[in-house]
Amino acid sequence: EDQVTQSPEALRLQEGESSSLNCSYTVSGLRGLFWYRQDPGKGPEFLFTLYSAGEEKEKERLKATLTKKESFLHITAPKPEDSATYLCAVHRGRTGFQKLVFGTGTRLLVSP
Amino acid sequence: DVKVTQSSRYLVKRTGEKVFLECVQDMDHENMFWYRQDPGLGLRLIYFSYDVKMKEKGDIPEGYSVSREKKERFSLILESASTNQTSMYLCASSTLGRATDTQYFGPGTRLTVL
């Protein structure tokens, strides 16, 4: 069964304290891995798409990496405004419509 | 920028009522999706549409139906609302043709069924 597991469930950091969030997946034929940011009471906001092992993408203090079994979202010198839930999703390797499997997210709190 | 809007941010309904949730996107996307999000369960796909009047069931379609009469608009219908349908409902859209194209989400509708 296709599955996405995110860890930790929650993470508390001090401002400037770098860390990484993990997304491990089991899916037959990965066709894309997505990272989203979600603020409380709002819809997910797209961050990155990764397509193949070894690929990396960066945006401001965030960097996403991908291996054959997991992805990491590295947060460098975080600020309080980076506090949010970060969601990972994978696209299943079947023809047809874009069916995504989501993890349950990592709640990040960055304290000043 | 992609803009996906949902008709209500908060909605309170009574058990047995028929509920309509509407979603509109302004980027001429072919694909539209309805998800529900519950604590500890993540986002789960209810229904998907890849063209006007076309629909596919997702993982949890029971108790829901959908309508897509125009390309930009996708409606989720709860035929007879029940308390276990209290949830955050999220609409998303994406382009057709590339299976890995990004899904863009609306702000969500928090539905409470009493």
Side-chain angles (χ1 to χ4, degrees), chain B residues 70-84:
Chain B
K70 294 185 178 181
K71 188 176 184 180
E72 68 272 16
R73 190 179 298 269
F74 191 34
S75 300
L76 180 70
I77 304 154
L78 287 66
E79 296 290 342
S80 177
S82 63
T83 55
N84 62 12

Side-chain angles (χ1 to χ4, degrees), chain B residues 12-81:
Chain B
V12 179
K13 296 292 181 181
R14 298 228 173 253
T15 301
E17 281 192 79
K18 190 169 186 177
V19 181
F20 293 87
L21 303 182
E22 296 218 316
C23 174
V24 177
Q25 51 93 5
D26 67 356
M27 285 303 292
D28 202 36
H29 284 172
E30 291 82 2
N31 299 325
M32 296 188 75
F33 308 81
W34 274 107
Y35 293 87
R36 63 177 284 177
Q37 185 176 28
D38 301 287
L41 296 178
L43 276 79
R44 293 178 290 166
L45 182 64
I46 304 171
Y47 265 98
F48 159 81
S49 171
Y50 53 90
D51 201 353
V52 175
K53 297 188 185 295
M54 305 304 289
K55 62 185 179 184
E56 292 278 349
K57 292 181 180 179
D59 298 314
I60 51 165
E62 297 78 19
Y64 303 95
S65 62
V66 291
S67 172
R68 193 162 180 206
E69 297 295 320
K70 294 185 178 181
K71 188 176 184 180
E72 68 272 16
R73 190 179 298 269
F74 191 34
S75 300
L76 180 70
I77 304 154
L78 287 66
E79 296 290 342
S80 177

Side-chain angles (χ1 to χ4, degrees), chain A residues 2 12 17 22 33 40 43 58 63-65 67 83 89-90 95 106:
Chain A
D2 300 333
R12 177 172 287 196
E17 179 187 1
N22 177 264
L33 184 141
E58 287 188 63
K63 179 180 176 180
T65 62
T67 72
S83 298
V90 298
T95 56
T106 293

Side-chain angles (χ1 to χ4, degrees), chain A residues 34-50:
Chain A
F34 302 83
W35 281 99
Y36 288 86
R37 169 195 169 121
Q38 186 174 26
D39 293 303
K42 296 187 177 181
E45 174 189 345
F46 170 70
L47 292 173
F48 303 109
T49 307
L50 301 167

